Amino acid sequence: MNSLSDMDEQPLSKHELAKARESAKQLLRRRTKQAIYATAVFSASCAAVSPFLEGHSLHRYWESFGKYLVLLSMGLLIPFIIYVGRAISAWLFVRDVQKIDS
């Protein structure tokens, strides 16, 4: 019977552990870069809405252009949350991998 608590597996060698740590760090770098890009795009889309709000210079174009920028920002919120969540998850993974045999 194969169970989760099966202790027949050999522990990781120093080389395998170092390789796993480096792989986890690469994953974190990639996910952090993606999260930064998603944050920049989301922030830029939110900032683009500001001139179209009431009391600002481009408010007269709200109906033709401004409300679509709000919809764009709302649509970009989901990828922003996903990419930032993935970066946090990768950070937690790296933290856990660093704790192995330390």
Side-chain angles (χ1 to χ4, degrees):
M1 182 184 333
N2 193 3
S3 69
L4 291 176
S5 62
D6 192 8
M7 299 301 286
D8 292 338
E9 293 183 26
Q10 296 294 324
L12 294 175
S13 69
K14 297 265 187 205
H15 176 69
E16 291 171 330
L17 189 57
K19 204 171 176 183
R21 285 181 177 149
E22 184 58 36
S23 177
K25 287 179 183 178
Q26 287 177 356
L27 175 70
L28 178 61
R29 282 192 292 273
R30 193 170 48 249
R31 297 267 173 95
T32 302
K33 185 191 276 188
Q34 291 171 346
I36 290 170
Y37 289 151
T39 302
V41 169
F42 177 66
S43 298
S45 71
C46 289
V49 172
S50 179
F52 296 94
L53 298 177
E54 189 172 349
H56 291 274
S57 59
L58 298 176
H59 181 65
R60 63 181 170 265
Y61 300 110
W62 173 256
E63 287 297 321
S64 62
F65 194 66
K67 65 181 177 181
Y68 298 110
L69 285 176
V70 170
L71 293 174
L72 174 66
S73 295
M74 290 170 59
L76 290 173
L77 177 63
I78 302 298
F80 165 72
I81 291 170
I82 290 170
Y83 281 114
V84 170
R86 287 175 49 159
I88 292 169
S89 175
W91 173 71
L92 292 172
F93 177 66
V94 168
R95 189 182 69 168
D96 290 342
V97 168
Q98 293 294 338
K99 289 180 183 178
I100 298 173
D101 286 340
S102 293

